[in-house]
Amino acid sequence: MEKVTIEINNLSPGQARAIEEYFAVWKFLNEKNMSMWCSFFVDCQNKFIPTIKVNGESPRRFMKDIGLRVGKVKFVSEKGEEEDDMYLLDYEKVEKALAEGPEEGTDS
């Protein structure tokens, strides 16, 4: 099993608490043995400008082919139905791609 240390700086109190809640939901789903798509809205045009380190380094994109990553989703809210783009990342597809061979430009 891998260990990842994530450090996120330059967050407002609300952004920090929302990220903590996001991870708490992952923990809850694990404890309940549940599977569910989870999402987190990132508005980099409006004061969401985090600095992120993963294991002490800038995060790297995973560029192997894992199929479509952006899809249209429909939300039901107090305003009614709203459609938006969502970046979808399935770790099972990433694991399958890694099993097929290393990423280009890496040793692992």
Side-chain angles (χ1 to χ4, degrees):
M1 298 300 281
E2 298 280 331
K3 176 182 176 181
V4 175
T5 302
I6 302 169
E7 180 181 329
I8 307 172
N9 293 300
N10 200 35
L11 299 169
S12 71
Q15 293 165 349
R17 190 62 184 93
I19 290 170
E20 183 178 354
E21 167 64 8
Y22 190 64
F23 291 134
V25 167
W26 288 8
K27 182 176 183 284
F28 170 80
L29 293 171
N30 183 46
E31 290 168 353
K32 299 298 181 186
N33 195 29
M34 296 171 60
S35 300
M36 179 181 297
W37 278 100
C38 298
S39 63
F40 186 90
F41 183 70
V42 177
D43 187 356
C44 295
Q45 297 174 346
N46 191 24
K47 299 180 184 174
F48 186 75
I49 311 166
T51 56
I52 303 168
K53 296 285 185 187
V54 176
N55 296 330
E57 299 179 11
S58 289
R60 296 175 295 131
R61 295 286 314 272
F62 183 80
M63 299 308 293
K64 289 187 83 170
D65 183 12
I66 57 170
L68 293 175
R69 295 182 189 217
V70 177
K72 289 280 186 196
V73 294
K74 192 176 287 189
F75 296 97
V76 178
S77 72
E78 61 277 353
K79 298 177 189 175
E81 289 187 357
E82 300 178 57
E83 191 175 274
D84 207 346
D85 292 329
M86 182 179 287
Y87 183 86
L88 307 165
L89 185 61
D90 184 343
Y91 75 87
E92 291 174 332
K93 290 181 180 181
V94 172
E95 285 180 350
K96 181 179 177 191
L98 287 171
E100 292 170 355
E103 294 177 69
E104 289 185 24
T106 68
D107 297 328
S108 55

Coordinates of all heavy atoms in Angstrom, one line a residue, residues 14-100:
G14 N -13.3 28.6 5.0 CA -14.4 27.8 4.4 C -13.8 26.7 3.5 O -14.3 25.6 3.5
Q15 N -12.8 27.1 2.7 CA -12.2 26.2 1.8 C -11.5 25.0 2.6 O -11.6 23.9 2.2 CB -11.2 26.9 0.9 CG -11.8 27.8 -0.1 CD -10.8 28.8 -0.7 OE1 -9.7 28.9 -0.3 NE2 -11.3 29.5 -1.8
A16 N -10.8 25.4 3.6 CA -10.1 24.4 4.4 C -11.1 23.5 5.1 O -10.9 22.2 5.1 CB -9.2 25.1 5.5
R17 N -12.2 24.0 5.6 CA -13.2 23.1 6.2 C -13.9 22.2 5.2 O -14.2 21.1 5.5 CB -14.2 24.0 7.0 CG -15.1 23.2 7.9 CD -14.3 22.5 9.0 NE -15.2 21.7 9.8 CZ -15.5 20.4 9.6 NH1 -14.9 19.8 8.6 NH2 -16.3 19.8 10.3
A18 N -14.1 22.7 4.0 CA -14.8 21.9 3.0 C -13.9 20.8 2.6 O -14.3 19.7 2.4 CB -15.1 22.8 1.8
I19 N -12.5 21.0 2.5 CA -11.6 19.9 2.1 C -11.6 18.9 3.2 O -11.6 17.7 3.0 CB -10.2 20.5 1.8 CG1 -10.3 21.3 0.5 CG2 -9.2 19.4 1.8 CD1 -9.1 22.1 0.1
E20 N -11.6 19.4 4.5 CA -11.6 18.4 5.6 C -12.9 17.6 5.5 O -12.8 16.3 5.7 CB -11.5 19.1 6.9 CG -11.4 18.2 8.1 CD -11.3 18.9 9.4 OE1 -11.1 20.2 9.4 OE2 -11.3 18.3 10.5
E21 N -14.0 18.2 5.3 CA -15.3 17.5 5.1 C -15.2 16.4 4.0 O -15.7 15.3 4.1 CB -16.4 18.4 4.9 CG -17.7 17.8 4.5 CD -18.4 16.9 5.5 OE1 -17.9 16.8 6.7 OE2 -19.3 16.2 5.1
Y22 N -14.6 16.8 2.9 CA -14.4 15.9 1.8 C -13.7 14.6 2.2 O -14.2 13.5 1.9 CB -13.7 16.7 0.7 CG -13.7 16.0 -0.7 CD1 -14.8 15.8 -1.4 CD2 -12.5 15.6 -1.2 CE1 -14.8 15.2 -2.6 CE2 -12.4 15.0 -2.5 CZ -13.6 14.8 -3.2 OH -13.6 14.2 -4.4
F23 N -12.6 14.8 2.9 CA -11.8 13.6 3.3 C -12.6 12.9 4.4 O -12.5 11.6 4.5 CB -10.5 14.0 3.9 CG -9.5 14.5 2.8 CD1 -8.8 15.7 2.9 CD2 -9.4 13.8 1.6 CE1 -7.9 16.1 1.9 CE2 -8.5 14.2 0.6 CZ -7.8 15.4 0.7
A24 N -13.4 13.6 5.3 CA -14.2 12.9 6.3 C -15.3 12.0 5.6 O -15.6 11.0 6.1 CB -14.8 14.0 7.2
V25 N -15.8 12.5 4.5 CA -16.8 11.7 3.8 C -16.1 10.4 3.2 O -16.7 9.3 3.3 CB -17.5 12.5 2.7 CG1 -18.3 11.6 1.7 CG2 -18.4 13.6 3.3
W26 N -14.9 10.5 2.7 CA -14.2 9.3 2.3 C -14.1 8.3 3.4 O -14.3 7.1 3.3 CB -12.8 9.7 1.8 CG -12.7 10.4 0.5 CD1 -13.8 10.9 -0.3 CD2 -11.6 10.7 -0.3 NE1 -13.3 11.5 -1.4 CE2 -11.9 11.4 -1.4 CE3 -10.2 10.4 0.0 CZ2 -11.0 11.8 -2.3 CZ3 -9.3 10.9 -0.9 CH2 -9.7 11.6 -2.1
K27 N -13.7 8.8 4.6 CA -13.5 8.0 5.8 C -14.9 7.3 6.2 O -14.9 6.1 6.4 CB -13.0 8.8 6.9 CG -12.7 8.0 8.2 CD -12.1 8.9 9.3 CE -11.8 8.2 10.5 NZ -12.9 7.9 11.4
F28 N -15.9 8.1 6.1 CA -17.3 7.6 6.5 C -17.7 6.5 5.5 O -18.2 5.5 5.9 CB -18.3 8.8 6.4 CG -19.7 8.3 6.5 CD1 -20.3 8.0 7.7 CD2 -20.5 8.2 5.3 CE1 -21.6 7.5 7.8 CE2 -21.8 7.8 5.4 CZ -22.4 7.4 6.6
L29 N -17.5 6.8 4.2 CA -17.8 5.8 3.2 C -17.1 4.5 3.4 O -17.6 3.4 3.3 CB -17.6 6.3 1.8 CG -18.6 7.4 1.3 CD1 -18.1 8.0 0.0 CD2 -20.0 7.0 1.3
N30 N -15.8 4.6 3.7 CA -15.0 3.4 4.0 C -15.5 2.7 5.2 O -15.6 1.4 5.2 CB -13.5 3.9 4.2 CG -12.6 2.7 4.5 OD1 -12.6 1.7 3.7 ND2 -11.8 2.8 5.5
E31 N -15.8 3.4 6.3 CA -16.3 2.7 7.5 C -17.7 2.0 7.2 O -17.9 1.0 7.9 CB -16.5 3.8 8.6 CG -15.2 4.3 9.1 CD -15.4 5.6 10.0 OE1 -16.5 6.1 10.1 OE2 -14.4 6.0 10.6
K32 N -18.5 2.6 6.3 CA -19.8 2.0 6.0 C -19.7 1.0 4.9 O -20.7 0.4 4.4 CB -20.8 3.1 5.7 CG -21.1 4.0 6.8 CD -21.6 3.3 8.0 CE -21.9 4.3 9.2 NZ -22.3 3.6 10.4
N33 N -18.5 0.8 4.3 CA -18.3 -0.1 3.2 C -19.2 0.3 2.0 O -19.9 -0.6 1.4 CB -18.5 -1.6 3.6 CG -17.9 -2.5 2.6 OD1 -17.0 -2.2 1.9 ND2 -18.5 -3.7 2.4
M34 N -19.2 1.6 1.7 CA -20.0 2.1 0.6 C -19.2 2.7 -0.5 O -18.0 3.0 -0.3 CB -20.9 3.3 1.2 CG -21.9 2.9 2.2 SD -22.7 4.3 3.0 CE -23.5 5.1 1.6
S35 N -19.8 2.7 -1.7 CA -19.1 3.3 -2.9 C -20.0 4.4 -3.4 O -21.2 4.3 -3.4 CB -19.0 2.3 -4.0 OG -18.2 1.2 -3.5
M36 N -19.4 5.6 -3.7 CA -20.1 6.7 -4.2 C -19.2 7.7 -4.9 O -18.1 7.9 -4.4 CB -20.8 7.4 -3.0 CG -21.6 8.7 -3.3 SD -22.3 9.5 -1.8 CE -23.4 8.2 -1.2
W37 N -19.7 8.3 -6.0 CA -18.9 9.3 -6.6 C -18.9 10.5 -5.7 O -20.0 10.9 -5.1 CB -19.5 9.7 -7.9 CG -19.1 8.8 -9.1 CD1 -19.9 7.8 -9.6 CD2 -17.9 8.8 -9.8 NE1 -19.2 7.2 -10.6 CE2 -18.0 7.8 -10.7 CE3 -16.7 9.6 -9.7 CZ2 -16.9 7.6 -11.6 CZ3 -15.7 9.4 -10.6 CH2 -15.8 8.4 -11.6
C38 N -17.8 11.1 -5.5 CA -17.7 12.3 -4.6 C -17.1 13.5 -5.5 O -16.3 13.2 -6.4 CB -16.7 12.1 -3.5 SG -17.3 10.8 -2.4
S39 N -17.5 14.7 -5.3 CA -17.0 15.8 -6.1 C -16.7 17.0 -5.2 O -17.2 17.1 -4.1 CB -18.0 16.2 -7.2 OG -19.2 16.6 -6.6
F40 N -15.9 17.8 -5.7 CA -15.5 19.0 -5.0 C -15.4 20.2 -6.0 O -14.6 20.1 -7.0 CB -14.1 18.8 -4.3 CG -13.7 19.9 -3.5 CD1 -14.0 20.0 -2.1 CD2 -12.9 21.0 -4.0 CE1 -13.6 21.0 -1.3 CE2 -12.5 22.0 -3.1 CZ -12.8 22.0 -1.8
F41 N -16.2 21.2 -5.8 CA -16.2 22.3 -6.8 C -14.9 23.2 -6.6 O -14.6 23.6 -5.5 CB -17.4 23.2 -6.6 CG -17.5 24.3 -7.6 CD1 -17.7 24.0 -8.9 CD2 -17.3 25.6 -7.2 CE1 -17.8 25.0 -9.9 CE2 -17.4 26.6 -8.1 CZ -17.6 26.3 -9.5
V42 N -14.2 23.4 -7.7 CA -13.0 24.2 -7.6 C -13.2 25.5 -8.5 O -13.4 25.4 -9.7 CB -11.8 23.4 -8.2 CG1 -10.5 24.2 -8.3 CG2 -11.6 22.1 -7.3
D43 N -13.2 26.6 -7.9 CA -13.5 27.9 -8.6 C -12.2 28.7 -8.5 O -12.1 29.6 -7.7 CB -14.7 28.6 -7.9 CG -15.1 29.8 -8.7 OD1 -14.4 30.2 -9.7 OD2 -16.1 30.5 -8.3
C44 N -11.3 28.4 -9.4 CA -10.0 29.2 -9.4 C -10.1 30.6 -10.0 O -9.2 31.3 -10.1 CB -9.0 28.4 -10.2 SG -8.6 26.8 -9.3
Q45 N -11.3 30.9 -10.5 CA -11.6 32.3 -11.0 C -12.1 33.2 -9.8 O -12.3 34.4 -10.0 CB -12.6 32.2 -12.1 CG -12.2 31.5 -13.3 CD -13.3 31.4 -14.4 OE1 -14.4 31.6 -14.1 NE2 -12.9 31.0 -15.5
N46 N -12.4 32.5 -8.7 CA -13.0 33.3 -7.6 C -12.4 32.9 -6.2 O -13.0 32.2 -5.4 CB -14.5 33.1 -7.6 CG -15.2 34.0 -6.6 OD1 -14.7 35.1 -6.4 ND2 -16.4 33.6 -6.2
K47 N -11.1 33.2 -6.0 CA -10.4 33.1 -4.7 C -10.1 31.7 -4.3 O -9.8 31.5 -3.1 CB -11.3 33.8 -3.7 CG -11.4 35.3 -3.9 CD -12.2 36.0 -2.8 CE -12.5 37.4 -3.2 NZ -13.3 38.1 -2.2
F48 N -10.1 30.7 -5.1 CA -9.6 29.4 -4.8 C -8.3 29.2 -5.5 O -8.2 28.9 -6.6 CB -10.6 28.3 -5.2 CG -10.1 26.9 -4.7 CD1 -10.3 26.6 -3.4 CD2 -9.6 26.0 -5.5 CE1 -9.9 25.3 -2.9 CE2 -9.2 24.7 -5.1 CZ -9.3 24.4 -3.7
I49 N -7.2 29.6 -4.7 CA -5.9 29.6 -5.3 C -4.9 28.8 -4.4 O -4.0 29.4 -3.8 CB -5.4 31.0 -5.5 CG1 -6.4 31.8 -6.2 CG2 -4.1 31.0 -6.3 CD1 -6.2 33.3 -6.2
P50 N -5.1 27.5 -4.2 CA -4.3 26.7 -3.3 C -2.9 26.5 -3.8 O -2.7 26.5 -5.0 CB -5.1 25.4 -3.1 CG -5.7 25.2 -4.5 CD -6.1 26.6 -4.9
T51 N -2.0 26.4 -2.8 CA -0.7 25.8 -3.2 C -0.7 24.4 -2.6 O -1.0 24.2 -1.5 CB 0.5 26.7 -2.6 OG1 0.3 26.8 -1.2 CG2 0.5 28.1 -3.2
I52 N -0.3 23.5 -3.5 CA -0.4 22.0 -3.1 C 0.9 21.3 -3.3 O 1.6 21.5 -4.3 CB -1.5 21.4 -4.0 CG1 -2.8 22.1 -3.8 CG2 -1.6 19.9 -3.6 CD1 -3.9 21.7 -4.8
K53 N 1.3 20.5 -2.3 CA 2.4 19.6 -2.4 C 1.9 18.2 -2.1 O 1.1 18.0 -1.2 CB 3.5 20.0 -1.3 CG 4.1 21.4 -1.5 CD 5.0 21.4 -2.7 CE 5.7 22.7 -2.8 NZ 6.6 22.8 -3.9
V54 N 2.4 17.2 -2.9 CA 2.1 15.8 -2.6 C 3.5 15.2 -2.4 O 4.3 15.2 -3.3 CB 1.4 15.2 -3.8 CG1 1.2 13.7 -3.6 CG2 0.1 15.9 -4.1
N55 N 3.6 14.6 -1.2 CA 4.9 14.1 -0.8 C 6.1 15.1 -1.0 O 7.2 14.8 -1.5 CB 5.2 12.8 -1.6 CG 4.2 11.7 -1.2 OD1 3.7 11.7 -0.1 ND2 3.9 10.8 -2.2
G56 N 5.8 16.3 -0.7 CA 6.8 17.4 -0.7 C 7.0 18.0 -2.1 O 7.9 18.9 -2.2
E57 N 6.3 17.6 -3.1 CA 6.5 18.1 -4.5 C 5.2 18.6 -5.1 O 4.2 18.2 -4.6 CB 7.1 16.9 -5.4 CG 8.4 16.4 -4.9 CD 8.9 15.3 -5.8 OE1 8.4 15.1 -6.9 OE2 9.9 14.6 -5.4
S58 N 5.4 19.4 -6.2 CA 4.2 19.8 -6.9 C 3.5 18.6 -7.5 O 4.1 17.6 -7.9 CB 4.6 20.7 -8.1 OG 5.0 22.0 -7.5
P59 N 2.1 18.6 -7.4 CA 1.4 17.4 -8.0 C 1.7 17.2 -9.5 O 1.8 18.2 -10.2 CB -0.1 17.8 -7.8 CG -0.1 18.9 -6.8 CD 1.3 19.6 -6.9
R60 N 1.8 15.9 -9.9 CA 2.0 15.6 -11.3 C 0.6 15.1 -11.8 O -0.1 14.4 -11.2 CB 3.0 14.4 -11.4 CG 4.4 14.8 -10.9 CD 5.3 13.6 -11.0 NE 4.8 12.6 -10.0 CZ 4.7 11.3 -10.3 NH1 4.9 10.8 -11.5 NH2 4.3 10.5 -9.4
R61 N 0.3 15.5 -13.1 CA -0.8 15.0 -13.8 C -0.6 13.5 -14.2 O 0.5 13.1 -14.5 CB -1.1 15.8 -15.1 CG -1.4 17.2 -14.9 CD -2.9 17.5 -14.4 NE -3.9 16.7 -15.0 CZ -4.5 17.0 -16.1 NH1 -4.3 18.2 -16.7 NH2 -5.5 16.3 -16.7
F62 N -1.6 12.7 -14.2 CA -1.6 11.3 -14.7 C -2.1 11.4 -16.1 O -3.3 11.6 -16.3 CB -2.5 10.4 -13.8 CG -2.4 9.0 -14.2 CD1 -1.3 8.2 -13.8 CD2 -3.4 8.4 -15.0 CE1 -1.3 6.9 -14.2 CE2 -3.3 7.1 -15.4 CZ -2.3 6.3 -15.0
M63 N -1.3 11.2 -17.1 CA -1.7 11.4 -18.5 C -1.9 10.1 -19.3 O -2.2 10.2 -20.5 CB -0.6 12.3 -19.1 CG -0.5 13.7 -18.5 SD -2.0 14.6 -18.2 CE -2.5 14.9 -19.9
K64 N -1.8 9.0 -18.6 CA -2.1 7.7 -19.4 C -3.6 7.7 -19.8 O -4.4 8.3 -19.1 CB -1.7 6.5 -18.6 CG -0.2 6.3 -18.5 CD 0.1 5.0 -17.8 CE 0.1 3.9 -18.9 NZ 0.6 2.7 -18.5
D65 N -3.9 7.0 -20.8 CA -5.3 7.0 -21.3 C -6.2 6.2 -20.3 O -5.9 5.0 -20.0 CB -5.4 6.3 -22.6 CG -6.8 6.3 -23.2 OD1 -7.7 7.0 -22.6 OD2 -7.0 5.6 -24.2
I66 N -7.2 6.8 -19.7 CA -8.1 6.2 -18.8 C -9.6 6.5 -19.3 O -10.5 6.3 -18.5 CB -7.9 6.6 -17.3 CG1 -8.0 8.1 -17.1 CG2 -6.6 6.0 -16.8 CD1 -8.1 8.5 -15.7
G67 N -9.7 6.8 -20.5 CA -11.0 7.2 -21.0 C -11.4 8.6 -20.8 O -10.6 9.4 -20.4
L68 N -12.7 8.9 -21.0 CA -13.1 10.3 -20.8 C -12.9 10.7 -19.3 O -13.2 10.0 -18.4 CB -14.6 10.4 -21.2 CG -14.9 10.2 -22.6 CD1 -16.4 10.2 -22.8 CD2 -14.3 11.3 -23.5
R69 N -12.6 12.0 -19.2 CA -12.4 12.5 -17.8 C -13.3 13.7 -17.5 O -13.5 14.1 -16.4 CB -10.9 13.1 -17.7 CG -9.9 11.9 -17.8 CD -8.5 12.5 -17.6 NE -7.5 11.5 -17.8 CZ -6.4 11.4 -17.2 NH1 -6.1 12.2 -16.2 NH2 -5.5 10.5 -17.5
V70 N -14.0 14.2 -18.6 CA -14.9 15.3 -18.4 C -16.3 14.9 -18.9 O -16.4 14.3 -20.0 CB -14.4 16.6 -19.1 CG1 -15.5 17.7 -18.9 CG2 -13.1 17.1 -18.6
G71 N -17.3 15.1 -18.1 CA -18.6 14.8 -18.5 C -19.6 15.8 -18.0 O -19.3 16.7 -17.2
K72 N -20.8 15.8 -18.6 CA -21.8 16.7 -18.2 C -22.6 16.0 -17.0 O -22.9 14.9 -17.1 CB -22.8 17.0 -19.3 CG -22.2 17.8 -20.4 CD -22.3 19.3 -20.0 CE -21.8 20.2 -21.2 NZ -21.5 21.5 -20.8
V73 N -22.9 16.8 -16.0 CA -23.7 16.3 -14.9 C -24.8 17.2 -14.6 O -24.7 18.4 -14.9 CB -22.8 16.1 -13.6 CG1 -21.8 15.0 -13.8 CG2 -22.1 17.4 -13.2
K74 N -25.9 16.7 -14.1 CA -27.0 17.5 -13.8 C -27.2 17.5 -12.3 O -27.3 16.4 -11.7 CB -28.3 17.0 -14.5 CG -29.5 17.9 -14.4 CD -30.6 17.4 -15.2 CE -30.3 17.5 -16.7 NZ -31.5 17.2 -17.5
F75 N -27.3 18.7 -11.7 CA -27.5 18.8 -10.2 C -29.0 19.3 -10.0 O -29.5 20.1 -10.8 CB -26.6 19.8 -9.6 CG -25.1 19.5 -9.7 CD1 -24.4 19.9 -10.8 CD2 -24.6 18.6 -8.8 CE1 -23.0 19.6 -10.9 CE2 -23.2 18.3 -8.9 CZ -22.5 18.8 -9.9
V76 N -29.6 18.8 -9.0 CA -30.9 19.3 -8.5 C -30.6 20.1 -7.3 O -30.0 19.6 -6.3 CB -31.8 18.2 -8.2 CG1 -33.2 18.7 -7.7 CG2 -32.0 17.3 -9.5
S77 N -30.9 21.4 -7.3 CA -30.7 22.3 -6.2 C -31.9 23.1 -5.9 O -33.0 22.9 -6.6 CB -29.5 23.2 -6.5 OG -29.9 24.2 -7.5
E78 N -31.8 24.0 -5.0 CA -32.9 24.9 -4.6 C -33.3 25.8 -5.8 O -34.5 26.2 -5.9 CB -32.7 25.7 -3.4 CG -31.5 26.6 -3.5 CD -30.1 26.0 -3.3 OE1 -30.1 24.8 -2.8 OE2 -29.1 26.7 -3.5
K79 N -32.4 25.9 -6.8 CA -32.7 26.7 -8.0 C -33.3 25.9 -9.1 O -33.7 26.4 -10.1 CB -31.4 27.3 -8.5 CG -30.7 28.3 -7.6 CD -29.4 28.7 -8.2 CE -28.6 29.5 -7.3 NZ -27.3 29.9 -7.8
G80 N -33.5 24.6 -8.9 CA -33.9 23.6 -9.9 C -32.8 22.8 -10.4 O -31.8 22.6 -9.8
E81 N -33.0 22.3 -11.7 CA -31.9 21.5 -12.3 C -30.9 22.4 -12.9 O -31.2 23.3 -13.6 CB -32.5 20.6 -13.3 CG -33.3 19.4 -12.7 CD -33.8 18.4 -13.8 OE1 -33.5 18.6 -15.0 OE2 -34.4 17.4 -13.4
E82 N -29.6 22.1 -12.7 CA -28.5 22.8 -13.3 C -27.5 21.8 -13.9 O -27.2 20.8 -13.3 CB -27.8 23.6 -12.2 CG -28.7 24.7 -11.5 CD -27.9 25.4 -10.4 OE1 -26.9 26.0 -10.7 OE2 -28.3 25.4 -9.3
E83 N -27.1 22.1 -15.1 CA -26.1 21.3 -15.8 C -24.7 21.9 -15.7 O -24.6 23.1 -15.9 CB -26.5 21.0 -17.2 CG -25.7 19.9 -17.9 CD -26.2 19.6 -19.2 OE1 -27.1 18.8 -19.4 OE2 -25.7 20.2 -20.2
D84 N -23.7 21.1 -15.5 CA -22.3 21.7 -15.5 C -21.3 20.6 -15.9 O -21.7 19.4 -16.0 CB -22.0 22.1 -14.0 CG -21.0 23.2 -14.0 OD1 -20.3 23.5 -15.0 OD2 -20.8 23.9 -12.9
D85 N -20.1 21.0 -16.2 CA -19.0 20.1 -16.5 C -18.4 19.6 -15.2 O -18.3 20.3 -14.2 CB -17.9 20.8 -17.3 CG -18.4 21.2 -18.7 OD1 -19.2 20.5 -19.3 OD2 -17.9 22.2 -19.2
M86 N -18.0 18.3 -15.2 CA -17.3 17.8 -14.1 C -16.1 16.9 -14.6 O -16.3 16.2 -15.5 CB -18.3 16.9 -13.3 CG -17.6 16.3 -12.0 SD -18.7 15.3 -11.0 CE -19.7 16.6 -10.3
Y87 N -15.0 17.1 -13.9 CA -13.8 16.3 -14.1 C -14.0 15.0 -13.3 O -14.2 15.0 -12.1 CB -12.6 17.0 -13.7 CG -11.3 16.2 -13.9 CD1 -10.7 16.3 -15.2 CD2 -10.7 15.4 -13.0 CE1 -9.5 15.7 -15.4 CE2 -9.6 14.7 -13.3 CZ -9.0 14.8 -14.5 OH -7.8 14.2 -14.8
L88 N -14.0 13.8 -14.0 CA -14.2 12.6 -13.4 C -13.0 11.7 -13.4 O -12.3 11.5 -14.4 CB -15.3 11.8 -14.2 CG -16.6 12.6 -14.4 CD1 -17.5 11.9 -15.4 CD2 -17.4 12.7 -13.1
L89 N -12.6 11.3 -12.2 CA -11.3 10.5 -12.1 C -11.6 9.2 -11.3 O -12.0 9.3 -10.1 CB -10.2 11.3 -11.4 CG -8.9 10.7 -11.3 CD1 -8.3 10.4 -12.7 CD2 -7.9 11.5 -10.6
D90 N -11.4 8.1 -11.9 CA -11.7 6.8 -11.3 C -10.4 6.1 -11.0 O -9.7 5.7 -11.9 CB -12.6 6.0 -12.3 CG -13.0 4.6 -11.8 OD1 -12.4 4.1 -10.8 OD2 -13.9 4.0 -12.4
Y91 N -10.1 5.9 -9.7 CA -8.8 5.3 -9.4 C -8.7 3.9 -9.9 O -7.5 3.4 -10.1 CB -8.6 5.4 -7.9 CG -9.3 4.4 -7.1 CD1 -8.8 3.1 -6.8 CD2 -10.6 4.7 -6.5 CE1 -9.6 2.2 -6.1 CE2 -11.3 3.8 -5.8 CZ -10.8 2.5 -5.6 OH -11.5 1.6 -4.9
E92 N -9.8 3.2 -10.1 CA -9.7 1.8 -10.6 C -9.2 1.9 -12.0 O -8.4 1.0 -12.4 CB -11.0 1.1 -10.5 CG -11.4 0.9 -9.1 CD -12.8 0.3 -8.9 OE1 -13.7 0.6 -9.8 OE2 -13.1 -0.4 -7.9
K93 N -9.5 2.9 -12.8 CA -9.0 3.0 -14.2 C -7.5 3.4 -14.1 O -6.8 2.9 -15.0 CB -9.8 4.0 -15.0 CG -11.2 3.5 -15.3 CD -12.0 4.6 -16.1 CE -13.4 4.1 -16.4 NZ -14.1 5.0 -17.2
V94 N -7.1 4.2 -13.2 CA -5.7 4.5 -13.0 C -4.9 3.3 -12.7 O -3.9 3.0 -13.2 CB -5.5 5.7 -12.0 CG1 -4.1 5.9 -11.7 CG2 -6.2 7.0 -12.4
E95 N -5.4 2.5 -11.7 CA -4.7 1.3 -11.3 C -4.6 0.3 -12.5 O -3.5 -0.3 -12.7 CB -5.5 0.5 -10.2 CG -5.3 1.2 -8.9 CD -6.0 0.5 -7.7 OE1 -6.8 -0.4 -8.0 OE2 -5.8 0.9 -6.6
K96 N -5.6 0.2 -13.4 CA -5.5 -0.7 -14.5 C -4.5 -0.1 -15.5 O -3.7 -0.9 -16.1 CB -6.9 -0.8 -15.2 CG -6.9 -1.6 -16.4 CD -8.3 -1.7 -17.1 CE -8.2 -2.6 -18.4 NZ -9.4 -2.5 -19.1
A97 N -4.4 1.2 -15.7 CA -3.5 1.8 -16.6 C -2.0 1.6 -16.1 O -1.1 1.3 -16.9 CB -3.8 3.3 -16.9
L98 N -1.9 1.7 -14.8 CA -0.5 1.5 -14.2 C -0.1 0.0 -14.4 O 1.1 -0.2 -14.6 CB -0.5 1.9 -12.7 CG -0.6 3.4 -12.5 CD1 -0.8 3.6 -11.0 CD2 0.7 4.1 -12.9
A99 N -1.0 -0.9 -14.2 CA -0.7 -2.3 -14.4 C -0.3 -2.7 -15.8 O 0.5 -3.6 -16.0 CB -1.9 -3.2 -14.0
E100 N -0.7 -1.9 -16.8 CA -0.4 -2.1 -18.2 C 1.0 -1.6 -18.5 O 1.6 -1.9 -19.6 CB -1.4 -1.4 -19.1 CG -2.8 -2.1 -19.0 CD -3.9 -1.3 -19.7 OE1 -3.6 -0.2 -20.2 OE2 -5.0 -1.9 -19.7

